[in-house]
Amino acid sequence: MRRLKKLLLSMTVLLGIGLSALAIVISYDAACPTPSSAAASAPLTISAYRYGCYGSPAVLTLANVAKPAPSDSQVLVKVHAVSVNPLDWHYLRGKPYVMRLSSGIGAPSNTAIGADFSGTVEAVGSRVTRFKVGDRVFGIQTGAFAEYVVVSELGTMAIMPDSVSFEQASAVGVAAITALQAVRDHGHVAAGQRVLINGASGGVGTFAVQIAKSYSAHVTGVASTRNLAMITGLGADSVIDYTKDDFTKGAQRFDVIIDMVSNHPVRTLARMLTPTGRTVIVGGTSDNRWLGPGAQSLRAILLSPFLSNTFVTMLASDNAKDLKVLGALMQSGKLTTAIDRRYPFSELPAAVEYLEKGRARGKVVVTVVP
């Protein structure tokens, strides 16, 4: 018995040392490298944002890089506008630290940044059939914070609706796909259901309100005082001002709760559901430096076996098929982009900084081509 106790103690100590060492390694921030202009000697160069180290938006640099050339199955897009997502500043900061296991230890392994874009097709590969030169397109591609981006023909890109501007289309990508999958695939929202959107004034929230309404649901949006009119204008049937009222203390029960904020305990959310209700945890504002918004998802996973309601955690999966669905909703007038602020391309770091403060109403857009 004593030997077993000693063995268990030794294993515990070793595990503790191992976890501590891992924590030190993944939280390490390497020094920022000196900006290089080596690509300036290339025959054709473009401007693109790069980040060679983790840190604030101040580490973003506008660099000269070689103009990308499409392969046989790729499309070259001249970028007109991009939008900023929380995903961008999470990568920029390298937080939560767990993301560094894929993004790079100490410093980013891929210095390109950005996701959402809209623009016009400038060139296509010899095997490309879905797109042609001159097409107005929108989509998601790593490294979108640039004057040009190369996208696979089978990548996350679609033709823009005629009725939509480049600014509006650039803001759709990550946020609207996340909202669509939260409402349709995970929330299983149906006509007549009562749906609560917690965090209705954010990028994902503004789209989720409209998409839930497109399914003929009764939508309640939770937002601050200054955003209530905007949420109502997007179609919400009712609104709750979280600065005055706590929806978890009300008598109303909901068939679906889509939670973008994660500011209430999982058990509390469970009490706000109908017997067959479900909660979709999309993200959160957690300052947990190790797991970030994932901390709430982990709690939901651990508690789900002990709750009668359904809790779903999700990570959106970008794809061209869902972009086409969103394009059709925009064309029909059922989906619009709520744009809070617009920035010129030279001030993109300021756009990221503003979004990181967490007070953006809808989307923040950056114009690349004036």
Side-chain angles (χ1 to χ4, degrees):
M1 183 63 71
R2 288 182 179 179
R3 288 183 178 180
L4 179 59
K5 288 182 178 179
K6 287 182 179 180
L7 178 60
L8 292 175
L9 178 60
S10 299
M11 291 176 64
T12 302
V13 170
L14 289 174
L15 179 61
I17 293 173
L19 291 175
S20 298
L22 178 62
I24 292 172
V25 170
I26 66 173
S27 62
Y28 167 70
D29 287 341
C32 291
T34 303
S36 172
S37 57
S41 60
L44 292 173
T45 62
I46 65 168
S47 294
Y49 278 94
R50 295 289 185 263
Y51 71 122
C53 60
Y54 294 123
S56 72
V59 305
L60 282 169
T61 59
L62 192 55
N64 288 323
V65 302
K67 184 178 180 179
S71 69
D72 290 346
S73 59
Q74 291 180 324
V75 177
L76 176 66
V77 178
K78 181 178 178 62
V79 178
H80 286 245
V82 298
S83 69
V84 183
N85 294 289
L87 181 69
D88 300 318
W89 63 258
H90 278 301
Y91 272 111
L92 186 62
R93 294 280 185 178
K95 292 180 181 177
Y97 290 136
V98 67
M99 345 176 13
R100 299 189 181 193
L101 296 175
S102 61
S103 67
I105 302 297
S109 54
N110 183 359
T111 62
I113 189 169
D116 292 349
F117 72 91
S118 67
T120 54
V121 174
E122 184 167 294
V124 297
S126 59
R127 286 192 251 166
V128 172
T129 59
R130 291 178 55 209
F131 302 97
K132 65 182 185 300
V133 173
D135 281 345
R136 300 164 76 241
V137 294
F138 70 114
I140 302 172
Q141 178 63 40
T142 300
F145 293 169
E147 291 180 315
Y148 286 85
V149 66
V150 165
V151 186
S152 167
E153 180 185 22
L154 301 179
T156 306
M157 186 168 71
I159 301 294
M160 282 173 49
D162 296 334
S163 60
V164 176
S165 71
F166 285 111
E167 285 187 343
Q168 292 171 323
S170 72
V172 171
V174 171
I177 281 183
T178 301
L180 176 64
Q181 293 176 4
V183 171
R184 180 194 63 192
D185 303 336
H186 300 284
H188 301 162
V189 172
Q193 288 189 321
R194 304 190 75 87
V195 179
L196 181 131
I197 312 292
N198 188 25
S201 62
V204 177
T206 52
F207 287 122
V209 167
Q210 298 173 79
I211 293 170
K213 283 303 301 177
S214 75
Y215 283 89
S216 300
H218 182 283
V219 178
T220 298
V222 181
S224 63
T225 308
R226 73 186 185 107
N227 295 326
L228 298 182
M230 178 185 72
I231 299 306
T232 302
L234 292 174
D237 299 285
S238 59
V239 291
I240 297 174
D241 185 344
Y242 71 75
T243 68
K244 299 177 181 179
D245 299 299
D246 183 347
F247 76 86
T248 66
K249 296 180 180 178
Q252 180 67 58
R253 296 296 180 264
F254 300 94
D255 299 295
V256 181
I257 294 175
I258 299 178
D259 189 8
M260 263 74 69
V261 186
S262 296
N263 57 346
H264 293 285
V266 172
R267 289 186 182 277
T268 301
L269 292 177
R271 293 199 301 269
M272 304 311 298
L273 294 168
T274 60
T276 58
R278 57 199 296 122
T279 292
V280 182
I281 298 176
V282 178
T285 56
S286 171
D287 59 359
N288 185 304
R289 59 180 178 170
W290 299 102
L291 296 177
Q296 180 79 335
S297 296
L298 179 60
R299 285 190 288 269
I301 291 171
L302 294 175
L303 287 174
S304 286
F306 307 100
L307 301 173
S308 58
N309 307 100
T310 300
F311 277 77
V312 180
T313 62
M314 66 164 286
L315 287 174
S317 174
D318 59 88
N319 62 87
K321 183 178 179 181
D322 281 349
L323 274 185
K324 290 180 180 178
V325 172
L326 295 167
L329 287 173
M330 287 190 287
Q331 187 67 37
S332 68
K334 294 181 179 180
L335 189 71
T336 188
T337 303
I339 299 177
D340 182 357
R341 292 191 182 185
R342 297 167 173 84
Y343 291 81
F345 192 48
S346 60
E347 296 179 17
L348 187 144
V352 177
E353 182 178 13
Y354 173 66
L355 183 70
E356 190 178 6
K357 292 177 181 177
R359 293 298 177 186
R361 306 168 71 221
K363 293 292 295 181
V364 177
V365 171
V366 176
T367 302
V368 181
V369 175

